[in-house]
Amino acid sequence: QVQLVESGGGLVQAGDSLRLSCAASGRTFSRYAWFRQAPGKEREFVAGIRWTGGTTFYAHSVKGRFTISRDNAKNTVYLQMNSLKPEDTATYYCAARYRLRPLENPDYDYWGQGTQVTVSS
């Protein structure tokens, strides 16, 4: 059974950092991504990574502040979030798929349960 389990969310102040983790059990996928959804807003792409080669892609709003990475041995993907802003407040979701589509394409096959990130001003 495939599971994506996120962890690492929390309540922080503006300017602080957090690291989210996404542990994948069951198998390894070709594409992983982080999405987020704030109350009253649509889910949006944040960052993605190709498992082979490690190519990354970021949303403009987080580029330079967030870093997505992977640990092959642990089958885990991370999202390091620095210089957090109140507008980063959202539920963050990890996603994975096999199909070789662009990282920002939202058509992912597997999703985690989400982890809440709240940034106070």
Side-chain angles (χ1 to χ4, degrees):
Q1 183 179 359
V2 175
Q3 278 191 311
L4 299 177
V5 179
E6 302 109 330
S7 61
L11 171 63
V12 297
Q13 293 186 332
D16 286 350
S17 298
L18 275 177
R19 189 178 79 158
L20 305 183
S21 299
C22 173
S25 64
R27 58 197 68 183
T28 300
F29 300 91
S30 67
R31 302 285 189 269
Y32 292 80
W34 288 95
F35 288 77
R36 66 186 181 187
Q37 187 168 21
K41 295 187 177 181
E42 293 187 355
R43 186 169 59 192
E44 63 174 355
F45 170 81
V46 176
I49 188 167
R50 297 181 183 178
W51 194 258
T52 301
T55 301
T56 58
F57 185 74
Y58 297 92
H60 178 74
S61 59
V62 306
K63 197 169 186 178
R65 299 188 297 123
F66 290 11
T67 302
I68 188 171
S69 62
R70 73 205 191 291
D71 184 324
N72 292 31
K74 296 182 179 179
N75 205 16
T76 299
V77 174
Y78 303 98
L79 185 67
Q80 178 67 43
M81 305 184 295
N82 298 330
S83 302
L84 282 161
K85 305 176 181 179
E87 50 263 44
D88 294 318
T89 295
T91 300
Y92 283 71
Y93 297 91
C94 177
R97 65 169 170 238
Y98 298 113
R99 289 168 291 170
L100 305 180
R101 294 186 178 178
L103 291 167
E104 68 274 23
N105 184 303
D107 190 18
Y108 281 79
D109 299 314
Y110 300 95
W111 295 82
Q113 81 286 355
T115 185
Q116 179 67 35
V117 173
T118 303
V119 185
S120 63
S121 57

